[in-house]
Amino acid sequence: ELAWVQMQLKWGYYITPRGFGMCAGDPNLVLVSTQGDLYLSRDGADTWHQIMNVPVDILEDGKQVRGYRSNGCEVTTCMRYLFHPQEPRRRYILHADLGLSRSPDGGLTWIPSATGSPWGNTFYNVVFDPDTPGRLYAAASSRHDIPNWTHISPNTPAHQGGVVVSDDFGKTWKVLGTGLPKLPC
């Protein structure tokens, strides 16, 4: 059973060094950690279940959408947690590595939300258009964790980014304008 990062982002995480553990009192209880997922087996590694969150169907604006409810085991950096100023039940988490998640129900459930952005790895900031409630602007990049000392080296061609805009409360994104350098934003 794959975690949402594998199902929706299709990332190829590998098992981390020391990412395998076994219960000394119960050899059937086994835990494995990848770079961003956590899996548990209760039958000696015959079957595995992701334990990062709980998959759920969410009703958003009258439509069923696949999303997730947290169980407290997310493995990522949270850059910001935002409330939509005109509709405070809409919430947003800006992530490193996972882009953006949105919640239509006050933070009870979450939907991955970087669709359309060519730079879905990290959303560093989102601002809300005060005149158009569904319009959001975001600074996005394919380079993660810029504020941290491990990511202050020079950019490579893979380290792109820019400004994206959404007109549907962050469900989909498109690049804003042309002519800006495609660099982390």
Side-chain angles (χ1 to χ4, degrees), residues 133-169:
R135 183 169 294 153
L136 288 69
Y137 301 93
S141 180
S142 56
R143 185 162 196 181
H144 68 151
D145 292 335
I146 288 174
N148 299 315
W149 70 270
T150 56
H151 296 283
I152 58 172
S153 60
N155 290 317
T156 70
H159 294 141
Q160 295 190 1
V163 178
V164 291
V165 61
S166 171
D167 283 313
D168 56 10
F169 293 97

Side-chain angles (χ1 to χ4, degrees), residues 16-33:
T16 57
R18 300 186 191 142
F20 185 83
M22 209 163 147
C23 179
D26 182 357
N28 286 319
L29 192 59
V30 185
L31 200 65
V32 67
S33 169

Side-chain angles (χ1 to χ4, degrees), residues 3-21:
W4 77 269
V5 173
Q6 304 307 327
M7 296 296 290
Q8 292 192 329
L9 299 180
K10 303 196 184 326
W11 284 20
Y13 283 148
Y14 58 85
I15 297 174
T16 57
R18 300 186 191 142
F20 185 83

